Amino acid sequence: MAEQWTIKKLLDWMTSHFTEKKIDSPRLTAELLLSFVLNMQRIELYMNFDKEVEKQKLDNLRELVKRCLNHEPVQYLIGRTEFYSLSLKVSKDCLIPRPETELLVERAIEFLRTRTGRQHVCDLCTGSGCIAVAMAKNFRDASIIATDICDKALSIAAKNVAKYNLADKIHLLHGDLFKPIIDQLDGKEFDLIVCNPPYISLPEYENLDQKVKNHEPRLALEAGPEGLDIYRRIAAEVGSHLKKDGLLLLEIGWLQGKAVKQLLDDTKIFGEIKIEKDLSDNDRIVSALKIV
Ligand code: GLN
């Protein structure tokens, strides 16, 4: 008689295999892959431990396990990730939203809640749209323009906007940083501009973990010799897009605080420029309030 693969047996097998091959979070990864293949919630796996899995599903699972062992991120394999308590669609065309970026969202929402009336917000390099969607879900009176240079990433953002019924609050525009806003001759200045740009330096990029380097889009990660290319361009253009008393919030790499602060200082349009650390005690967020 052929071997019977139950849910429990499959989870145990994958977990030990992933552990042996040093895949991150082996048990969680096993549960995510199997619940995806079986179209179940993770909790349902536990309620169906002894259920046998049919051959077609086993074949699908085997294929995903193979890709996982090749260090393809599990979020791409199952096509989604969790961000700011939302379930977002992702694909290899966009960066996988990182937990550190939730801090940027947190600060954005805090700032918006200090203000009254409709808030005009701009999210540059929106990628999967994670920041825009999380802000829109958590602040009622926001009108958000989110731009990205990559139209394939924007189509993922569009799916996330649709999934959470936010089409009336988030307007997606295709183009480089502020360029699509200028092209639209939209003279509007924003109350808040947020951006998690590509910020990995070239030498760092070469040494990135294979999981990131071989699978996530280079365009979303690498930004020149010091990783500062996009910050320079934002600093040069931000003045004409931000209201007086408006806030600029940027995610940065852990070694970039001083350099980014200097770039913003040089514009002479910001008051206090603050650098904030993430939960791992690395510099991660720069905030700058426009005073002129
Ligand atoms: N804004 C998106 C994110 O935070 C994409 C960022 C990027 O592509 N660099 O995940």
Side-chain angles (χ1 to χ4, degrees), residues 83 94-98 101 104 123-132 148 153 195-199 217 219-221 251:
F83 180 80
C94 65
L95 193 78
I96 299 166
R98 304 294 203 269
T101 306
L104 183 80
D123 174 27
L124 303 169
C125 311
T126 195
S128 62
C130 58
I131 299 172
D148 202 287
C195 181
N196 174 24
Y199 57 70
L219 189 62
L221 291 162
E251 181 170 323

Side-chain angles (χ1 to χ4, degrees), residues 38-91:
L38 298 179
N39 199 15
M40 281 181 177
Q41 303 287 328
R42 265 168 63 209
I43 182 83
E44 292 177 86
L45 298 175
Y46 284 83
M47 291 156 28
N48 292 281
F49 252 4
D50 298 324
K51 195 174 155 159
E52 201 181 326
V53 175
E54 65 190 77
K55 173 150 187 342
Q56 178 61 52
K57 306 264 184 204
L58 285 178
D59 291 345
N60 297 348
L61 185 67
R62 198 172 297 120
E63 188 52 36
L64 292 179
V65 168
K66 222 190 283 171
R67 288 168 64 187
C68 193
L69 292 172
N70 190 29
H71 300 283
E72 208 168 320
V74 67
Q75 294 91 337
Y76 289 157
L77 296 177
I78 66 173
R80 62 169 196 89
T81 195
E82 301 286 318
F83 180 80
Y84 214 79
S85 301
L86 302 165
S87 171
L88 298 180
K89 189 175 168 59
V90 292
S91 81

Side-chain angles (χ1 to χ4, degrees), residues 196-197 199-200 204 227-228 231 250-258 260 275 282-286:
N196 174 24
Y199 57 70
I200 311 270
E204 275 176 308
L228 296 171
Y231 300 116
L250 300 172
E251 181 170 323
I252 56 162
W254 63 296
L255 293 172
Q256 294 172 325
K258 229 175 126 190
V260 173
I275 303 171
N282 291 320
D283 286 351
R284 189 60 63 193
I285 305 290
V286 171

Side-chain angles (χ1 to χ4, degrees), residues 55-238:
K55 173 150 187 342
Q56 178 61 52
K57 306 264 184 204
L58 285 178
D59 291 345
N60 297 348
L61 185 67
R62 198 172 297 120
E63 188 52 36
L64 292 179
V65 168
K66 222 190 283 171
R67 288 168 64 187
C68 193
L69 292 172
N70 190 29
H71 300 283
E72 208 168 320
V74 67
Q75 294 91 337
Y76 289 157
L77 296 177
I78 66 173
R80 62 169 196 89
T81 195
E82 301 286 318
F83 180 80
Y84 214 79
S85 301
L86 302 165
S87 171
L88 298 180
K89 189 175 168 59
V90 292
S91 81
K92 62 176 177 29
D93 297 314
C94 65
L95 193 78
I96 299 166
R98 304 294 203 269
E100 294 89 314
T101 306
E102 293 177 334
L103 184 62
L104 183 80
V105 172
E106 194 74 36
R107 293 295 166 265
I109 293 167
E110 272 169 22
F111 174 75
L112 292 172
R113 288 183 180 158
T114 62
R115 297 169 66 96
T116 45
R118 163 155 300 198
Q119 295 299 299
H120 294 279
V121 183
C122 176
D123 174 27
L124 303 169
C125 311
T126 195
S128 62
C130 58
I131 299 172
V133 169
M135 289 189 300
K137 277 293 287 177
N138 290 282
F139 184 78
R140 206 168 41 84
D141 205 3
S143 164
I144 302 173
I145 288 183
T147 75
D148 202 287
I149 195 165
C150 172
D151 53 356
K152 286 184 176 160
L154 271 189
S155 72
I156 300 294
K159 289 188 175 138
N160 287 320
V161 168
K163 178 172 182 191
Y164 286 99
N165 284 317
L166 294 168
D168 57 335
K169 285 176 136 187
I170 301 176
H171 193 172
L172 299 169
L173 296 177
H174 177 221
D176 192 11
L177 298 178
F178 294 107
K179 177 103 182 350
I181 300 166
I182 299 168
D183 282 351
Q184 289 221 340
L185 292 178
D186 190 337
K188 193 169 50 204
E189 292 178 337
F190 296 98
D191 298 277
L192 171 66
I193 296 176
V194 297
C195 181
N196 174 24
Y199 57 70
I200 311 270
S201 70
L202 265 173
E204 275 176 308
Y205 184 80
E206 293 310 326
N207 292 313
L208 272 184
D209 195 298
Q210 295 300 305
K211 191 171 165 184
V212 179
K213 192 177 172 198
N214 294 347
H215 299 284
E216 295 196 73
R218 179 171 186 152
L219 189 62
L221 291 162
E222 185 253 302
E226 306 141 303
L228 296 171
D229 286 10
I230 311 297
Y231 300 116
R232 282 202 187 93
R233 296 180 43 218
I234 291 175
E237 294 173 45
V238 69

